Amino acid sequence: MITTTAQQILRVLMEMRLRPQRHGPTDCTADNWNYTEQETAGNNGSLYSFDDEWDDDSDDGKSNGGPQADDGGTMQRGGAHSTMKISLNKFPGFSKTPNPEVYLLTKHVAKGNERLPIYSGEVGPVWLYPQAQLDCMVADPKKGSKMYGLKSYIEYQITPNTTNRPVNHRYKHFDWLYERLVEKFGCALPIPGLPDKQVTGRFEEEFIKMRMERLQGWMSRMCRHPVISNSDVFQLFLNYKDEKDWKLGKRKAEKDEVVGVKIFYTIDPELPELDPAQVEQKCETYNQFTKSMDNSVKELLAVGHLHWKRCTGPLQKEYRQIGKAFQNLSSVFNTSAYPRESTLTEALTATGKTYEEIAEIVAEQPRTDLHFLMETNTEYKGLLGCFPDTMGVHRAAIDKVKEADHLVATNKISPQDKHTMEKNLSTMSYTLQAEMNHFHSNRIYDYNRLMQFYLEEQVKFYETIAEKLKKALSQYATM
């Protein structure tokens, strides 16, 4: 069973993922974290779980670091978080040389349900946010098996707040969802990778707890995005009704042709057209910020890891040694045979024990506060790692538009084609601006809540130590 401390950690994480403040228009249209085993796969009451289509793959596999292109013309994206492969022909935005021409030279008017509007908000261009915030809970991991017990897996229960009807998914289902989201939205939106894959130790309680917590963080972040959370594939993942519904939805998502740079066909900014120079300036500003923040987040993670190691290693050892030294001194004083010795020796012994208690408090403290600081920054590290690819698509589009005058002069495109390219580049820029405003809004909310929680726990930590030292101090006679 997952411990009470683990339950508290997960509840705090859920609380910290509440909806941030929004700056745009809105569209008017029971905690059970225990780990239990089940002998066989299957449905549990009204829960749905389908694995037949996934038998050829294992839940976890070896992963490669960083995006890589292979000889077959596909590319792996997401570092150690995914094994997905994307066809460069189907997904030109993430080829070795991003190629947005397929969008820039095309006239297209977004219609109906595929339309993704962008409006002018208090902070600039913003997405259309839903009136009610979607959220979900990832809980109740269970161990299942198939093939007469030869193959085991962990299955998680996902419950959206819109229906309160749970569905079951394995890690490979999350991986499938990630692949679909990257393929469809990756040119326009940064899609952070899933928690790391692991080949060994996948059924250990500590790993299951860590993976569930990180899947919760990933799902919460996806739920908070107005475009992703409202997409058909994401809604399918949360709300499929039965096996037939799941299979039909899955096939439909895999046949979706509006992927890669074609996603910009669906963007409809209700804003004036931008000058290409403005577009380039905005792109460079965002590029510099995300690079700088990425470096700062990595620095904080490095310092945090070092501090955690010191708390559970050298610092804990030093406090124990101090406590032992005080108790040894008390033992020596006890041999003096002096009649007024007992008050001092008892106080020294108590002081030694106090420092030993402090040693354990210091070693446990990172799990209480630093853990959340590290997890949130790890999430942002993954998110920021997606921006270079997204920015690359925009820079490639800017470069193409810069060539437009030469192409017109050489009769390769018409003046109207040039205007179409500039208009479409403006749409891409508004997409990037709306996405960056969403990112900044979430960033400010996340770090405000995170630092408040961290400092509150630090205050409790030092107050606990201070109280123990005051109690030890009170045992000494006033001379």
Side-chain angles (χ1 to χ4, degrees):
M1 305 288 284
I2 292 181
T3 64
T4 301
T5 301
Q7 293 173 358
Q8 293 172 344
I9 287 174
L10 288 162
R11 289 194 187 99
V12 172
L13 275 177
M14 283 295 296
E15 181 184 353
M16 292 178 69
R17 300 183 196 282
L18 297 176
R19 179 175 60 183
Q21 294 295 318
R22 299 227 178 85
H23 304 281
T26 58
D27 187 5
C28 295
T29 55
D31 296 344
N32 179 14
W33 300 97
N34 293 335
Y35 165 73
T36 57
E37 293 190 2
Q38 62 182 40
E39 294 181 358
T40 60
N43 297 341
N44 181 11
S46 63
L47 308 184
Y48 300 106
S49 171
F50 310 113
D51 299 297
D52 293 343
E53 298 179 67
W54 307 90
D55 289 346
D56 293 335
D57 303 314
S58 62
D59 270 4
D60 293 276
K62 296 180 180 179
S63 57
N64 299 321
Q68 296 179 356
D70 64 17
D71 294 337
T74 59
M75 173 180 168
Q76 293 187 355
R77 185 170 184 255
H81 304 285
S82 175
T83 57
M84 73 166 295
K85 292 190 176 183
I86 306 167
S87 169
L88 298 185
N89 293 328
K90 190 176 182 183
F91 197 17
F94 284 93
S95 61
K96 294 179 181 179
T97 303
N99 178 20
E101 291 179 16
V102 65
Y103 166 72
L104 287 175
L105 289 168
T106 304
K107 292 182 179 180
H108 185 86
V109 178
K111 298 179 182 178
N113 294 333
E114 70 173 9
R115 178 175 173 269
L116 298 174
I118 295 176
Y119 298 95
S120 178
E122 296 176 9
V123 295
V126 291
W127 297 112
L128 175 65
Y129 286 89
Q131 190 174 34
Q133 172 67 58
L134 175 65
D135 203 356
C136 69
M137 179 172 286
V138 182
D140 198 22
K142 288 183 172 64
K143 185 178 181 181
S145 63
K146 56 174 36 181
M147 297 172 63
Y148 302 99
L150 294 176
K151 183 177 181 179
S152 298
Y153 57 86
I154 299 296
E155 195 170 54
Y156 302 89
Q157 185 183 102
I158 297 91
T159 308
N161 62 351
T162 50
T163 64
N164 290 320
R165 182 179 63 84
V167 294
N168 281 359
H169 284 296
R170 294 162 60 182
Y171 181 86
K172 63 176 61 177
H173 303 170
F174 286 92
D175 204 29
W176 175 85
L177 174 63
Y178 169 72
E179 291 180 11
R180 302 282 74 76
L181 292 177
V182 171
E183 186 174 37
K184 185 168 184 65
F185 298 113
C187 277
L189 314 176
I191 310 295
L194 290 168
D196 290 343
K197 291 179 179 291
Q198 184 163 318
V199 178
T200 59
R202 291 187 289 120
F203 302 112
E204 294 177 2
E205 181 178 339
E206 189 66 24
F207 176 77
I208 294 170
K209 180 184 72 174
M210 178 194 71
R211 170 171 280 183
M212 182 173 66
E213 181 182 316
R214 291 179 174 176
L215 287 174
Q216 176 68 71
W218 189 84
M219 286 296 293
S220 293
R221 192 162 295 280
M222 296 299 99
C223 284
R224 281 160 59 174
H225 198 290
V227 174
I228 293 171
S229 63
N230 195 46
S231 65
D232 290 343
V233 66
F234 196 76
Q235 288 293 319
L236 169 72
F237 189 80
L238 291 178
N239 297 310
Y240 67 89
K241 297 176 182 178
D242 49 33
E243 183 174 5
K244 181 180 179 181
D245 188 38
W246 170 256
K247 288 183 177 180
L248 288 174
K250 179 176 176 289
R251 291 181 185 127
K252 179 182 176 182
E254 290 171 350
K255 292 178 180 178
D256 189 356
E257 295 182 355
V258 184
V259 296
V261 293
K262 293 181 181 179
I263 191 62
F264 293 110
Y265 291 153
T266 66
I267 308 296
D268 185 14
E270 299 182 0
L271 297 162
E273 187 176 329
L274 294 172
D275 181 84
Q278 292 177 279
V279 173
E280 185 171 15
Q281 182 182 12
K282 287 285 187 183
C283 185
E284 185 57 29
T285 299
Y286 296 145
N287 188 47
Q288 289 299 322
F289 178 84
T290 53
K291 280 185 177 180
S292 298
M293 183 177 174
D294 187 43
N295 291 333
S296 294
V297 165
K298 289 176 180 176
E299 179 185 14
L300 184 56
L301 284 171
V303 171
H305 281 300
L306 180 61
H307 181 64
W308 194 310
K309 289 178 67 175
R310 290 191 71 245
C311 287
T312 55
L315 278 179
Q316 182 186 32
K317 183 178 179 181
E318 287 171 14
Y319 278 111
R320 285 174 175 171
Q321 289 174 337
I322 291 171
K324 186 66 174 177
F326 280 133
Q327 292 180 74
N328 288 341
L329 182 62
S330 175
S331 297
V332 171
F333 284 179
N334 262 328
T335 63
S336 69
Y338 187 67
R340 298 181 178 178
E341 194 75 64
S342 60
T343 301
L344 176 59
T345 55
E346 288 173 3
L348 274 172
T349 299
T351 300
K353 291 180 179 179
T354 296
Y355 274 90
E356 288 180 339
E357 291 173 2
I358 290 173
E360 302 312 309
I361 293 172
V362 168
E364 286 298 318
Q365 186 61 22
R367 295 180 182 271
T368 305
D369 52 24
L370 188 57
H371 168 77
F372 302 107
L373 189 70
M374 300 293 281
E375 285 298 304
T376 300
N377 278 279
T378 298
E379 279 189 41
Y380 270 91
K381 177 186 173 184
L383 187 58
L384 290 162
C386 301
F387 275 102
D389 284 340
T390 304
M391 295 295 182
V393 176
H394 288 270
R395 283 196 298 268
I398 291 168
D399 290 341
K400 292 296 181 184
V401 171
K402 284 182 177 180
E403 298 174 11
D405 286 330
H406 174 70
L407 295 173
V408 170
T410 55
N411 294 320
K412 291 185 177 179
I413 64 172
S414 67
Q416 184 58 38
D417 288 333
K418 176 188 173 184
H419 180 261
T420 299
M421 291 176 70
E422 292 175 346
K423 184 177 185 297
N424 288 341
L425 179 65
S426 179
T427 296
M428 292 180 68
S429 179
Y430 278 127
T431 304
L432 180 59
Q433 291 179 59
E435 187 56 26
M436 287 304 300
N437 287 332
H438 174 78
F439 173 81
H440 287 316
S441 175
N442 279 271
R443 172 181 57 82
I444 290 170
Y445 175 85
D446 287 342
Y447 278 90
N448 263 302
R449 290 294 303 274
L450 173 65
M451 293 310 301
Q452 286 173 2
F453 175 82
Y454 178 74
L455 292 175
E456 285 169 359
E457 293 301 318
Q458 282 279 287
V459 169
K460 292 177 186 177
F461 166 65
Y462 285 109
E463 284 178 344
T464 300
I465 291 177
E467 287 300 316
K468 287 187 174 294
L469 293 175
K470 286 178 182 178
K471 184 177 179 181
L473 174 62
S474 67
Q475 299 186 50
Y476 291 88
T478 302
M479 305 300 290

